[in-house]
Amino acid sequence: MKAIGFLRNVSHFVACMTAILSQMDNQHYSFYIETFQTSSELVDFLMETFIMFKDLIGKNVYPSDWMAMSMVQNRVFLRAINKFAETMNQKFLENMNFEEQLWNNYFHLAVAFITQDSLQLENFSHAKYNKILNKYGDMRRLIGFAIRDTWYQLGQNKICFIPGMVGPILEMTLIPEVELRKATIPIFFDMMLCEHEKTGEFRKFENEIILKLDHEVEGGRGDEQYMQLFESILMEYTSQYPDISKSVENFVSLVKGLLEKLLDYRAVMNDESKDNRMSCTVNLLNFYKDINREGMYIRYLYKLRDLHLDCENYTEAAYTLLLHTWLLKWSDEQCAPQVMSTEFQCSQTHRQLKENLYEKIIEYFDKGKMWEEAISLCKELAEQYEMEVFDYELLSQNLVQQAKFYESIMKILRPKPDYFAVGYYGQGFPTFLRNKVFIYRGKEYERREDFQAQLMSQFPNAEKMNTTSAPGDDVKNSPGQYIQCFTVQPVLEEHPRFKNKPVPDQIINFYKSNYVQRFHYSRPVRKGSVDPENEFASMWIERTSFVTAYKLPGILRWFEVVSMSQTTISPLENAIETMSMTNEKILMLINQYQSDENLPINPLSMLLNGIVDPAVMGGFAKYEKAFFTDEYTKNHPEDQEKLNKLKDLIAWQLPFLGAGIKIHERRVSENLRPFHERMEECFKHLKVKVEKQYGVRELPDFDDKRVGRPRSMLRSYRQMSVISLASMNSDCSTPNKIVSESFELEVAPQKPTKSEENVLQTTTQPEVKMRRSKKRTKRSSVVFADEKPAPDLCLSDMKCLSRKYEFMSDTNLSEHAVAPQKTSVLKQMSFASRSMPTIPGLTLSVVCTPPADETIGSHRLSQQILPATLEGDKKTLKKKKKNQFFKTIRISKLPEDGKHSGERNFEPSSKDL
């Protein structure tokens, strides 16, 4: 009640003051001004009056529907402001008498008056708009023109209000009144000219207008018309000043680009589709990164992070937050205000903030099952704990966390996400989607049908396209919306650190669908005459390759396609790729079954039977009928090398099938024994035929219990067929059923023919060996080499790389370029391709024990080398010669011939193979 009474008294006093001012004419104002004896008294009066007027305008004492009272008050205040401005021009404009604070108060009052809600006529109904306009006029024009005239009268004193008045003037120009905009936008050019004459540039003005423009447009001001007027007016004025014309052109282009992105962002701020909001946020991120505005950059980083957390996109949230850490250093330097965030205000130094960010990011990566990235950050933290801050307690916790992540990689299933190409065609889409193609990373177990249904729900007026080919200009230029969606296959990139190492499938499989930037889509096409009995003879493959702007996963679940290319695969090349894929699939299954005794036998049964039993799938007999004929050889003499390659793949399939059948025999149940015997019978006939026609290929002897990959006989070419690469420069191989990985096989003991050497030299893919088939029984049976393995050397080399050049590709914010020195931290963030998290392969070798006279230093040595021998083994090792290069451990198991095996190495020599 007291508050209501107070407001009632205030409104009464304001009404009385308004009535008094309305009765005053010009003579009254002049007489009142003359009553002040000194200039300081007059300045105090004017400043207090301006403050009071601004307060009354900002906090209207009348109810919002008392429009008549508000308009009367505004008309009286406007007349008083103009009279006081005349007095200021007469008494306080000259350099000797210039009152900067008084003029500053005047400008802020004038802008507050022009931007008050009660004068925004476009927000009223048409009838109310006309009524106010007819009775009171548009007072915004009057005060706006007065501000313009007053500004130009300041002369040399203008520099005092730059950049302080940039924001208020911008707020005034954003009012959607065309004549007012045309009258006030030229003030910006005058500001640039004034600062340029003083300093040789207008950097302060530029920084301020970018900062204020972001807040104003997000708050609802600004439109397309303003952007066009801004550009046309400033470009018209700059033609008269050739000295700064280039700088002004760059500034106008900068502001125009920012306005476009801000308007897109504002349009989707309240949109139900968080994907669109994320896209616009990333566009602004890229923009502020390019123009080196760290404060705004970090502001939108956290907006994007929050959007990801709302959608439970923990991996993308981690990559987003990781961008902030690359602005920080491992030092005790105090954080600048622009690199701080409200979430981590307790962190005062770069080291504290970066450590807190790493902990949060590791938590996100853990939730997103991106343990490789989490391990990489843990290692960096561990280095700080061990070498810089010497906090061994935190180090121990960190190492325990790393161990958990390594265990998760090997034991927890991570489903491979599907990738979808999505094209948005038609003028009905917003500019950031219009006529563009994107690659989306699906969620776990997300089918294309479900993804497409959700996509169409975001655009209910869109029409689904049933073709995968790119549409014509008629569709792109149409006013409607057309969405195209289909599944694409990620292309595994080369990983040299895996070369010649027995890398487990759990590790390799992760990289098949992560850190990928190239994708393929293949579809069969028919050319020439079609043989109804053998479709393979005329099955051509049309392959489209997509390259995204950045690697996936990243700060978004999708990225725009920046390049597309198309190639054609011949039927023979398709057959080679299909055989390669089949061989690779057999090897992968063998590896899985020898690693896990509990896997169901059904997948292996179906794969093996489908190949060896002609009644099921026909095996490779269709290829023989299509390509291994005198007619084909005569008509296609250029394909001789490819024919030899296909024959070689067929020959190599036999030992792989034999290894698979051997596993199947041990695992098959009694109920399926007749099925297995039938499969063995078919394999025997197949083996006789293949070895007779294509030669014999043999694998090394395997352990009785497990079948491993042959060492130095299996060359990985992932998605790339050697034949297609050599003959038609294709990037990837494609079977009838698209698979993500394939292998090329070659005979190790035999020298390749001259034609085969030419083919094999064309591949640059790393060599990958299967895991050794020896079954691990106890942890004590694993021993390590005394000398440092190659992965550690790689790790040290990687640590020597400059951190600022390491992350950009995964965070997806810049091109692959090295930033010049003497630029800000944000500008130096080079997003070149980041090296993969260091996960050295587990190689089994025997520890090199030091001689007996060196045992005194063994305790210190044990800090670097982990001995894995038991107490019983140590006695045996002491009896060995000092100069023996590798010590061995005794194997209690007897070989099959019943003789005791004295010593045995875990790593076989080349002679053994």
Side-chain angles (χ1 to χ4, degrees), residues 650-698:
I650 294 174
W652 262 110
Q653 195 175 84
L654 261 294
F656 296 145
L657 289 172
I661 290 176
K662 188 176 181 181
I663 293 178
H664 192 271
E665 181 182 13
R666 294 198 305 265
R667 303 280 295 276
V668 71
S669 62
E670 290 301 322
N671 294 336
L672 292 178
R673 183 64 58 180
F675 167 80
H676 175 79
E677 293 174 355
R678 159 71 180 167
M679 188 165 59
E680 277 192 331
E681 185 68 22
C682 292
F683 176 71
K684 290 179 182 178
H685 294 297
L686 184 67
K687 183 176 181 181
V688 172
K689 174 190 172 184
V690 170
E691 290 183 349
K692 180 180 180 181
Q693 294 183 356
Y694 308 118
V696 179
R697 304 292 187 273
E698 292 184 356

Side-chain angles (χ1 to χ4, degrees), residues 445-455:
Y445 303 109
E446 186 174 24
R447 301 182 307 162
R448 185 188 65 83
E449 293 78 7
D450 299 333
F451 172 81
Q452 185 171 338
Q454 183 180 7
L455 192 68

Side-chain angles (χ1 to χ4, degrees), residues 65-129:
D65 56 343
W66 286 23
M67 188 55 62
M69 287 297 297
S70 296
M71 286 299 167
V72 170
Q73 176 183 295
N74 286 332
R75 184 172 60 182
V76 172
F77 282 6
L78 177 59
R79 183 166 175 267
I81 293 171
N82 288 335
K83 289 298 179 182
F84 295 147
E86 293 177 5
T87 301
M88 293 166 59
N89 286 330
Q90 296 172 5
K91 297 181 178 292
F92 306 112
L93 189 59
E94 298 298 330
N95 289 337
M96 297 298 296
N97 299 320
F98 185 74
E99 292 287 343
E100 179 181 344
Q101 189 58 48
L102 177 61
W103 282 101
N104 189 67
N105 286 6
Y106 164 77
F107 282 122
H108 279 86
L109 168 62
V111 172
F113 181 90
I114 201 174
T115 56
Q116 62 177 300
D117 292 339
S118 59
L119 290 184
Q120 309 313 309
L121 305 183
E122 62 277 353
N123 297 332
F124 300 150
S125 65
H126 184 68
K128 192 174 185 178
Y129 172 88

